[in-house]
Amino acid sequence: MKLDLYVPGLLAAPERLIATLSLPDAAALHAWCARAERSPSRRGRFGFIETALDVATAPLAALAWLGATGERAKPPLFLATLVHLQAGMTDLVLFSGPALQVSDDERARLAGDVSAFFDGEPALHFRAGQLFLQAPQHSAVRTTPLHAVRGQAVREHLPRGADAARLHGWMNELQMFLHGHAVNRERAARGLPSLNGIWPWGEGGIPRNAIHDGLAVFADSLPMRGLGVLLGTARERETLDRMLPPSGHHVIEISDCARALDADDAGGWQAAVEKVSDEILQPVLDWLATHRDAEAVLHAGDGTARRLRGGKDGWLRRAFRRKATLPVTAE
């Protein structure tokens, strides 16, 4: 029986935040890393998905659509995130995340109105709390993931590629359309930032050779839910004892660290690291100590997979006698 712990943001963060982060004294995390067998893995927030599908770039929009609807999407499809663009000295700066307080009602209203404005080309769909931008034909475009552009000037992060100009045009038209929309007038009356832009990202198709092999994914996010649908089953998060595999292969996604990073909350990130260490890693260490045929792999986003195999309790306790050096690296 095998367990993969996918914890984006645990040991990797956007470069702009690294200097503000100080790893807490999380005993089980240090124990795990001191004793684990290390092997290279894909670096970054979505490296686990890229490894699972053997692709260079995770097809996040296609997986999220599969997770939201149970159906494969027609490409090209992008995740479409409502953002606030603020004028800087020489460029627009992008803000997003919980501070914007975007409601599902606002997303649904804007999806219908934007699609009507463009007459369906492109179309904006709202599914399971997520907006998707459906382009009318194949687009040779590479985008920047949302977490990498938060708080940054947007120009150098705009979509690139042979068909990028078309996407830039849509983004500019959307800015003008959103500027005077009723949703933003209502938000202004409530003292909330305007939703004056849409950031497209997460392009790519699901590989045709993906094998449904009975993987059980306990997902926090829509893309990971889609990965579960694609490769086995997608399940809601439960108590840890119910997510540990009695047999087969389970994956647990834990998004607390990434959410804190997305909110630029260094204290919240430290608390999330401690929570993962105490409430996830330590119980998994205890589980491994009593299951000789089990193995668990920690994926922390820093380009290293850390594997532990089951064994006697004393074998695992020895890990606590020395402390691993754990720098937080760039995603």
Side-chain angles (χ1 to χ4, degrees):
M1 46 191 167
K2 180 178 179 181
L3 176 66
D4 279 299
L5 297 172
Y6 169 46
V7 196
L10 180 62
L11 294 176
E15 190 168 358
R16 62 189 174 83
L17 296 177
I18 289 175
T20 69
L21 303 177
S22 176
L23 196 69
D25 188 15
L29 173 60
H30 285 285
W32 190 298
C33 295
R35 196 67 181 85
E37 172 189 330
R38 297 158 60 98
S39 60
S41 67
R42 300 282 179 91
R43 177 182 295 275
R45 185 167 298 196
F46 309 113
F48 177 81
I49 296 175
E50 292 164 358
T51 298
L53 296 180
D54 193 22
V55 294
T57 303
L60 300 173
L63 286 173
W65 184 273
L66 182 61
T69 69
E71 301 174 352
R72 292 201 181 215
K74 295 180 180 179
L77 186 74
F78 303 88
L79 297 174
T81 304
L82 290 164
V83 299
H84 174 70
L85 299 170
Q86 184 173 309
M89 292 293 291
T90 60
D91 200 352
L92 294 174
V93 179
L94 182 148
F95 297 93
S96 67
L100 294 189
Q101 299 182 43
V102 186
S103 70
D104 280 353
D105 177 68
E106 289 171 328
R107 292 186 181 95
R109 287 170 62 189
L110 288 172
D113 291 349
V114 167
S115 292
F117 174 73
F118 280 107
D119 196 23
E121 293 188 1
L124 201 62
H125 304 291
F126 178 65
R127 299 288 187 277
Q130 174 66 55
L131 288 172
F132 298 86
L133 182 70
Q134 179 76 64
Q137 59 188 39
H138 177 72
S139 295
V141 171
R142 301 185 309 281
T143 67
T144 301
L146 182 68
H147 73 274
V149 71
R150 280 191 174 102
Q152 305 295 300
V154 302
R155 186 176 294 122
E156 65 179 286
H157 298 294
L158 287 170
R160 308 164 300 283
D163 296 324
R166 182 185 298 112
L167 196 51
H168 295 172
W170 290 336
M171 293 169 72
N172 289 334
E173 288 186 72
L174 282 165
Q175 279 184 255
M176 292 184 286
F177 175 77
L178 292 171
H179 177 74
H181 195 278
V183 162
N184 279 322
R185 294 197 298 271
E186 295 163 10
R187 289 177 63 85
R190 302 199 306 275
L192 294 176
S194 62
L195 304 173
N196 58 359
I198 289 179
W199 191 257
W201 59 293
E203 73 283 356
I206 294 173
R208 295 184 180 276
N209 60 351
I211 299 173
H212 190 288
D213 62 358
L215 187 72
V217 178
F218 295 86
D220 274 348
S221 66
L222 277 179
M224 281 297 289
R225 181 171 181 80
L227 187 71
V229 173
L230 181 69
L231 300 181
T233 59
R235 305 185 187 180
E236 298 294 329
R237 287 282 304 276
E238 303 183 50
T239 59
L240 181 62
D241 62 306
R242 295 178 64 86
M243 294 189 291
L244 296 174
S247 61
H249 186 179
H250 286 192
V251 175
I252 304 174
E253 179 189 20
I254 303 149
S255 299
D256 305 55
C257 298
R259 280 196 292 264
L261 293 175
D262 289 344
D264 288 357
D265 184 357
W269 175 81
Q270 279 196 318
V273 171
E274 291 176 338
K275 181 179 178 181
V276 168
S277 179
D278 293 344
E279 299 182 14
I280 301 294
L281 299 187
Q282 182 57 58
V284 172
L285 286 174
D286 296 339
W287 173 74
L288 284 169
T290 58
H291 292 80
R292 299 183 67 90
D293 58 343
E295 69 174 43
V297 186
L298 175 63
H299 307 269
D302 64 338
T304 302
R306 295 173 171 87
R307 182 185 311 273
L308 286 174
R309 292 180 171 85
K312 294 180 180 179
D313 184 57
W315 180 85
L316 284 169
R317 275 205 304 265
R318 287 199 297 273
F320 288 84
R321 296 179 183 172
R322 61 189 176 95
K323 198 170 185 177
T325 300
L326 299 175
V328 180
T329 63
E331 287 183 320

